[in-house]
């Protein structure tokens, strides 16, 4: 059975002091929680070192929200996988729709980052998902398939065992509109089938595919109960300890 992975994408929210407060609140609420759920927090770069110190000895893992695809060099303003690993990150979110939309990241560029993350033993959480226009034009399957093939290009079987995919319909991110359980599960099944065709069913069955898009404490249990939804990438609801830990609790209940 696949484990559930709940990751909080803090985006550009919380300064250092607010990070300390939120991490401590999450820790407090998770105290004694002993279900098999992988919990990841992804604060902004400047808070990663502090967050890493605070989560030592807990079940919480650390992730970054982005990285560059070179390890060092003259790339002003960028941060590398090697640097993230060195400060205790285990995960990195790649290809989030906000990066695709505002920073024009392409599948090819995201693919370079995925390879570099894996080379540095970081688990990439790779995001894919269609816009509202694409869904309404009936091309969701095509768009998501192209994205999955693009971001996974050149990866080995061994690499696929080390990644997490996140299906995040763009129209559901930060909008309060969630995909229905059926809509989400249908795309998760499509992704799993595609990975089976590209690699094998054995590998596809092990692949963690998170859902993201307005997940909250009210809808988490239903979404996480779907056959092919293996966790959640949470934006807005991860910024409050109560809602984030409720979602983790829902994942624990589903098992
Ligand atoms: C996200 O940013 O990945 C996300 C899913 O945001 P929200 O939960 O706010 O829709």
């Amino acid at each position: 059975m696949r484990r559930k992975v709940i990751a909080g994408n803090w985006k550009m929210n919380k300064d250092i002091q607010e990070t300390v407060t939120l991490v401590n609140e999450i820790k407090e609420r998770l105290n004694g929680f002993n279900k098999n759920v992988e919990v990841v927090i992804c604060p902004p770069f400047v808070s990663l070192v502090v967050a890493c110190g605070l989560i030592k000895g807990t079940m919480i893992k650390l992730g970054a929200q982005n990285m560059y695809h070179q390890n060092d060099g003259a790339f002003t303003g960028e941060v590398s996988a090697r640097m993230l690993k060195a400060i205790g990150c285990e995960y990195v979110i790649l290809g989030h729709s906000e990066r695709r939309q505002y920073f024009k990241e392409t599948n090819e560029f995201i693919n370079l980052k995925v390879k570099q993350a894996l080379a540095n033993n970081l688990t990439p959480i790779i995001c894919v998902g269609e816009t509202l226009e694409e869904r309404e034009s009936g091309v969701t399957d095509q768009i998501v398939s192209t994205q999955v093939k693009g971001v996974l290009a050149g990866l080995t079987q061994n690499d696929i065992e080390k990644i997490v995919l996140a299906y995040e319909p763009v129209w559901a991110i930060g909008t309060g509109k969630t995909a229905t359980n059926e809509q989400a599960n249908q795309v998760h099944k499509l992704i799993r089938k595609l990975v089976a065709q590209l690699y094998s069913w054995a590998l596809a069955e092990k692949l963690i595919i998170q859902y993201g898009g307005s997940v909250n404490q009210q809808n988490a249990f239903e979404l996480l109960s779907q056959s092919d939804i293996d966790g959640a990438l949470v934006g807005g609801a991860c910024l409050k300890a109560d809602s984030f830990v409720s979602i983790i609790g829902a994942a624990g209940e589903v098992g």
Side-chain angles (χ1 to χ4, degrees), residues 152-218:
L152 301 188
L155 297 198
T156 64
Q157 300 242 359
N158 193 32
D159 292 333
I160 300 297
E161 290 194 18
K162 298 176 188 159
I163 66 164
V164 170
L165 283 177
Y167 168 57
E168 297 207 304
V170 179
W171 49 272
I173 297 179
T175 58
K177 283 185 206 159
T178 322
T180 63
N181 302 327
E182 295 72 27
Q183 278 173 328
N185 204 38
Q186 194 187 7
V187 180
H188 282 233
K189 279 178 185 280
L190 168 98
I191 295 172
R192 204 176 300 285
K193 191 170 163 201
L194 180 59
V195 171
Q197 284 162 357
L198 294 171
Y199 295 91
S200 70
W201 263 115
L203 210 48
E205 287 291 355
K206 283 195 260 172
L207 179 67
I208 305 287
I209 309 176
Q210 295 178 314
Y211 169 78
S214 298
V215 176
N216 57 40
Q217 55 204 106
Q218 282 78 40

Side-chain angles (χ1 to χ4, degrees), residues 3-48:
R3 76 188 189 289
K4 297 275 191 267
V5 181
I6 306 296
N9 175 12
W10 293 20
K11 310 194 186 190
M12 199 174 70
N13 292 296
K14 308 288 180 192
D15 62 20
I16 287 278
Q17 204 43 54
E18 292 161 343
T19 296
V20 173
T21 304
L22 180 55
V23 174
N24 282 334
E25 286 173 359
I26 295 170
K27 265 166 62 174
E28 224 170 83
R29 285 163 180 74
L30 278 179
N31 196 14
F33 183 83
N34 61 1
K35 299 278 173 50
N36 185 24
V37 178
E38 180 95 336
V39 177
V40 186
I41 56 167
C42 305
F45 286 135
V46 292
S47 294
L48 288 171

Side-chain angles (χ1 to χ4, degrees), residues 97-243:
S97 66
E98 286 151 16
R99 299 231 38 106
R100 291 174 185 264
Q101 184 184 351
Y102 304 130
F103 304 98
K104 307 294 169 227
E105 292 197 6
T106 61
N107 293 321
E108 293 71 25
F109 188 54
I110 296 160
N111 176 249
L112 294 175
K113 296 187 188 203
V114 169
K115 288 174 176 159
Q116 190 70 348
L118 289 166
N120 284 276
N121 294 316
L122 285 173
T123 301
I125 298 176
I126 313 166
C127 306
V128 296
E130 82 286 0
T131 62
L132 185 58
E133 213 182 355
E134 289 161 348
R135 175 157 285 266
E136 287 176 345
S137 318
V139 293
T140 296
D141 290 7
Q142 252 168 276
I143 293 292
V144 172
S145 299
T146 302
Q147 289 175 336
V148 171
K149 282 186 203 156
V151 297
L152 301 188
L155 297 198
T156 64
Q157 300 242 359
N158 193 32
D159 292 333
I160 300 297
E161 290 194 18
K162 298 176 188 159
I163 66 164
V164 170
L165 283 177
Y167 168 57
E168 297 207 304
V170 179
W171 49 272
I173 297 179
T175 58
K177 283 185 206 159
T178 322
T180 63
N181 302 327
E182 295 72 27
Q183 278 173 328
N185 204 38
Q186 194 187 7
V187 180
H188 282 233
K189 279 178 185 280
L190 168 98
I191 295 172
R192 204 176 300 285
K193 191 170 163 201
L194 180 59
V195 171
Q197 284 162 357
L198 294 171
Y199 295 91
S200 70
W201 263 115
L203 210 48
E205 287 291 355
K206 283 195 260 172
L207 179 67
I208 305 287
I209 309 176
Q210 295 178 314
Y211 169 78
S214 298
V215 176
N216 57 40
Q217 55 204 106
Q218 282 78 40
N219 60 27
F221 181 81
E222 283 296 319
L223 282 162
L224 293 167
S225 301
Q226 303 306 306
S227 63
D228 286 77
I229 299 183
D230 311 315
L233 183 53
V234 185
C238 80
L239 296 174
K240 290 214 162 66
D242 280 344
S243 41

